[in-house]
Amino acid sequence: MALVGTFAPPHPGDLPAGSPFYDAWHDLVAGTIDDYTPGVVRGEFVDPSAVDVDVLAHRAVPWTGFPRYLLVRHRDDRHRAFCEGEIRNVVGNQFEYLEWHVTRNEFGRITKVVFVTELLEYWDLLARTNPQRLVELYRELVHPDVEGDDLFLEREGTRSYDPYNRWNIVNGIVHYVVGINNLPLAVGVAEGGLAEAAPDGFAVAAAPDVHAADERLRRDVGAVARRDLSVILREPVTLTIGGWDDTGWTKPDGSPVGDYWRVTRGTAEAPVRLEYEVPPEEGFVVADIAIGGRPIEFGGQLAEHVTVTVHAAAGRRAS
Amino acid sequence: MTARVPAERGRREPAGYGPVVPIEEPVYDRAARQDVQGNIVPGFNKPHQQFMFLRIDDPVAARRWVAGLAPQVTSMDEALGFVRELKARRRELRTRDAGLSATWENVAFSFRGIELLGGAGAAAGFAEESFRQGLAARSTHLGDPTTPYRPGHRDGWVVGGPGNEADVLVIVAADDPDARNERAAEIRAGAHGLEVLYEEPADVLPDDLHGHEHFGFRDGVSQPGVRGRCDDGSFLTERFVDADALEPGDVRADLFARPGQALVWPGQFLLGEPRQDTESLLAPAPPAARPTFPAWAARGSYLVCRRLLQDVPAFRAFTEAAAGLAETSPEHLAALLVGRWPSGAPLMRAASADDPKLADDLMAVNHFLFDDDTRALRLVPGAPSPPDRFPQATADVLGRVCPHFSHIRKMNPRESGTDLGKPADTLLRLMLRRGITFGPPLAGVPDPSPELIAAERGLMFVCYGATIEDQFEFVTRRWANSPILPNHGGHDPIIGQRDTRGDRRRFVEVPGPDGGVRRIDIDRDFVVPTGGGYFLAPPISALTGVLGG
């Protein structure tokens, strides 16, 4: 019997149980993963809803949320890397499956940073299944002023969801907009790890693109497959926020910051939306916090301490 | 359906190891070798050292003192020459005691020290922000205690805390302790315009513990090799892998100096030299887009010094108490924490028991991968070891033999993917470590007195690199201090620190015999920072130029 009956959504309860949304979500995920993809030498990548695997070990695959592309492009100018890290649109720059939106006050100082690993595919499906619920969620997450017309486009008599609406880019954030941050590509990159016949990780061909996520996924899947094991993605099959590290961050008086993080979507084990904002009673804002003695000027300074994770497992096909 | 991966994701080169191009390593002539301080390359490796932390009171007098010190500062040229003669004598006499000795010294300056000696203009060009800030300002970022009065908090440091930061660090190193003491006294007496803030004599542990740290484990086994040659054709780091014995396309002779010792471009350690490419294991990086240091500092190196107290009784008590939870012996648990047995033999090649013979074989002790089976390497004719006769390491992709929390796996994940992707990125993180123990040993003492137990002991951690933030600070904060990076499994139990709003608990997930893991909390710090600083070890030419005269 397969490990997964129906793929669970990244965030539970957006729609009532029994909604056709859930079967559609399962079909979307299952359609992204082949039943099995054999490695060129050994191992395989399998759909846990289609193939029964005896799990030997769970493995979380983490990488850093700030784009490595910018860190190496501006190897000697971290300030510029952080500047460019604030650019978020369909072609860039938040490439590591972590996107964020920064809110600044009237003085231009950061008051809030919201991180997401939410899939555009999920929200598009939600919009097609229940447009009103989509509007409600936008109002809850971003701003009560959101109107349905803000989120949908009319083209040739067809009304369709606009993922690049202002409440998801300029005035807030709900889900991915960077073109290469999507589930099929993540799965495709992971499956690409099976295409390696290299004897070890030093000999695995290095990709000329510089994204940490891609190398991490490809190498980890390849290393497990070379042990003649089956690799599956664990539930929920999505990108999640795996951790955040504010140790050593300091308030204006030099004392350690409080816990200002809030998981607002996903589950405690697999968050997909994370918000950072100082409570008003503290009397200061995010920009007043120092990381290693340096004031926060960019959301990327926080993103550097946020980890993205895919949950996977290694096992053998059940006999 | 299988997802189609567009060009933006998943592109890769047709062959492994990165672009295979002719490797033209930089050549260091005598003038260049005489400009680089010798503790950077090849490293002093002397058994008796003195760390002298000084503060500049009178910059004019201090400049004269610096210039006077210059002729005594040991260069790469002198240290390399000594090492080569020592090896030749040892081969000739067939004994380790070749009868050669030397007394050496190196010097380094804090950002403030450079400002005082050379003026604001001399210091203005340093883009390395951590260097400008100093260790004390970065302390809690490194996981040091945030609560004042707690052991390890910067306010209590013997040197390097707020108000007692050193401007100058002099390291004296000798084969003979009396010679070390004599030279340190001379420096002390001649230090006009400077005040000695703190001194630490540091000595390797005696007898069988030579080369071991206080917990009883051999230290400094794994160091990166530095690419580059001298103008006589010799390599800065000697090469032992036989390229002729490799299959076509197998470039491991270009990747390793000795089996397991990855070669790194010298600009990772010496300012201005060719750096490691961010994407390739073999290639140098294009030149920097903009200068990140003043021209006078070329061939200098950032020096991080941390005085780390080691609580040996606490370490022992932990391993003994936790061994039951881990369902193994205290000795094996301690080896799991480090990743090596006390002899230095790696768990990856000696999973169940220590193997001192393996540890003694310098061509075998460091030859292992983590995620894949390790392939044997043939050595060049005349290599100082016979062919590697020990069983090769086998893959441990799930971290059951050498857990992901093990100190050596945290500090150098080798060929594994990491949170920043490819192993070429890991080469950017490696440092040249030049630490030495201080204080009387407790390991190996059968019935120690209360006074001996209470005595301070630890490691004067010293490392060199071309950045502080992307090397020392990166591996400390990002890997050692994180329970999930570069892989899930717990904190580095040896040097890892964690201070979450005053909570300093850490944990490790120890693999059990049933295939599961046992989470073991670590409720005490075995290693406590008590001082140090961020410095620049400048080129020797700067001592009679920008910084002295």
Side-chain angles (χ1 to χ4, degrees), chain B residues 212-241:
Chain B
H212 294 230
E213 48 70 55
H214 280 286
F215 293 148
F217 291 81
R218 191 169 151 208
D219 196 18
V221 179
S222 180
Q223 295 270 14
V226 182
R227 291 190 188 276
R229 293 172 181 266
C230 299
D231 51 1
D232 65 1
S234 61
F235 287 106
L236 295 184
T237 304
E238 208 169 350
R239 314 289 166 91
F240 295 103
V241 178

Side-chain angles (χ1 to χ4, degrees), chain A residues 31 34 59 64 68 75-76 78 95 180-181 184-185 200 203 207 214 216 226 246-247 257 292 294, chain B residues 1-3 6 9 11 133 138 268 275-276 278 290 372 375 397 418 422 425 470 477-478 486-487:
Chain A
D34 277 352
R59 183 167 175 129
T64 298
R68 181 175 183 272
R75 183 175 180 180
D76 299 310
R78 193 171 292 258
F95 294 120
I180 60 172
N181 289 345
L185 291 188
D200 62 52
D214 296 359
R216 177 93 226 207
R226 288 196 292 277
D246 63 3
T247 58
V257 294
R294 303 173 192 170
Chain B
M1 66 165 207
T2 298
R9 285 208 188 276
R11 288 181 299 168
Q133 290 177 274
R138 299 289 280 174
Q268 292 303 120
R275 295 189 294 182
Q276 189 74 34
T278 60
R290 62 174 193 140
D372 288 289
R375 293 170 289 157
V397 67
T418 76
K422 58 193 79 170
D425 192 281
D470 290 336
R477 180 180 174 95
R478 194 77 73 97
N487 282 295

